[in-house]
Amino acid sequence: MFKNVFGSGFLVRTAHVILTWVITLILFLHDTDLRKQEESGELLKPVIFVLLVLVSVLLYFGVSLMDPGFVLSDPRDVQFTLGVTEEQQGMIPHTPKSLRLRRCGHCLLEQPMRSKHCQTCQHCVRRYDHHCPWIENCVGERNHRWFVLYLAVQLIVLVWGFHMAWSGFTHASTWQLWLRTNGVLLGAATFVAVLSLTVLLLLGSHLYLVSLNTTTWEFMSRSRISYLKHCGADENPFDRGTLHNLWSFFCVWGTVVWEKVYFREDDPM
């Protein structure tokens, strides 16, 4: 279920954790509201902040090390192929939207719908979204919701951290003296501000795509994906309405047979 913590991406993960706790330490060492509250014995907000940082780090490692939904066996090796029996497959009408099973040229496995081979991970991933260099892992069917949750928690921590950094700036008679006094805190605040904007854009884009029940790969490469080529420009065969899409994404666990959703218009039910 989880990858080796000392495997590929170890340096990236280590750098992430070090930067996280170094910036947290800077916020507590300078004259910020966090330090003032700590020194005055008002520990509620400092403790909550540290716990949020810890939760963000744990979520980062969870998403980074989790199996994103690797395709490890050929669907023909199990009782049901693509979630339906052979007899049912023969009953599926041939429509302009019909598709042939794709066999991965790298894994030599038949790919379930919405899966894609990742050149970095060297595996096909179910409901492939993208390969994220930040976590050194793919974002796919099994860890996508945790990735979105991680982004949400990380954004809260970053915005709060930027506010705390801003509260720690002290006045000085000259710019040179001000920079000497606040240089480290200014560097941390700038870094946090850039990360906050990045995470905000990532979180917003993922929530938008989730509400449409599409993935980053499908959104960016629509014209090159076999099962979407015959769909209209505004047609998404997996869209079941915004609320249903969000509910399914965040609250429904387990593997979805996307072929059934794709051919739902051919379903007599």
Side-chain angles (χ1 to χ4, degrees), residues 30-96:
H30 285 74
D31 195 24
T32 62
D33 287 347
L34 283 175
R35 180 175 178 177
K36 292 175 183 177
Q37 291 167 358
E38 180 189 13
E39 290 176 344
S40 64
E42 301 175 9
L43 299 179
L44 180 60
K45 289 184 179 179
V47 168
I48 293 176
F49 181 79
V50 172
L51 287 177
L52 276 176
V53 173
L54 180 60
V55 169
S56 74
V57 171
L58 292 177
L59 282 172
Y60 172 80
F61 272 99
V63 174
S64 177
L65 300 175
M66 187 182 296
D67 175 357
F70 293 135
V71 180
L72 301 178
S73 62
D74 198 314
R76 292 191 183 277
D77 295 336
V78 296
Q79 180 179 4
F80 295 102
T81 301
L82 303 177
V84 294
T85 64
E86 292 183 6
E87 180 181 358
Q88 290 173 321
Q89 284 182 357
M91 295 173 62
I92 295 177
H94 292 283
T95 69

Side-chain angles (χ1 to χ4, degrees), residues 3 16 21 37 56 105 120 124 193 226 233 244 262:
K3 299 194 296 185
H16 177 92
W21 290 111
Q37 291 167 358
S56 74
T120 304
C124 289
S226 59
H244 195 293
Y262 184 87

Side-chain angles (χ1 to χ4, degrees), residues 106-214:
H106 302 275
C107 301
L108 301 180
L109 297 174
E110 288 184 348
Q111 297 175 320
M113 186 174 284
R114 308 191 82 181
S115 65
K116 181 183 181 297
H117 184 85
C118 176
Q119 296 288 354
T120 304
C121 294
Q122 291 299 308
H123 284 291
C124 289
V125 180
R126 295 179 182 273
R127 196 183 178 276
Y128 176 86
D129 189 86
H130 72 289
H131 183 90
C132 181
W134 188 353
I135 63 173
E136 274 298 315
N137 194 11
C138 280
V139 176
E141 185 176 69
R142 300 184 90 181
N143 67 346
H144 196 173
R145 60 170 60 88
W146 294 110
F147 180 73
V148 173
L149 178 61
Y150 160 69
L151 291 178
V153 173
Q154 186 70 67
L155 182 61
I156 294 172
V157 171
L158 289 170
V159 172
W160 194 353
F162 180 78
H163 175 71
M164 290 298 103
W166 189 269
S167 70
F169 290 128
T170 57
H171 297 286
S173 56
T174 64
W175 277 105
Q176 291 80 3
L177 181 59
W178 187 89
L179 286 173
R180 282 200 299 269
T181 306
N182 301 289
V184 175
L185 194 60
L186 177 63
T190 303
F191 184 71
V192 168
V194 172
L195 282 181
S196 298
L197 181 60
T198 303
V199 173
L200 176 62
L201 293 174
L202 276 173
L203 179 60
S205 64
H206 276 276
L207 288 176
Y208 171 72
L209 294 176
V210 165
S211 71
L212 299 176
N213 201 348
T214 191

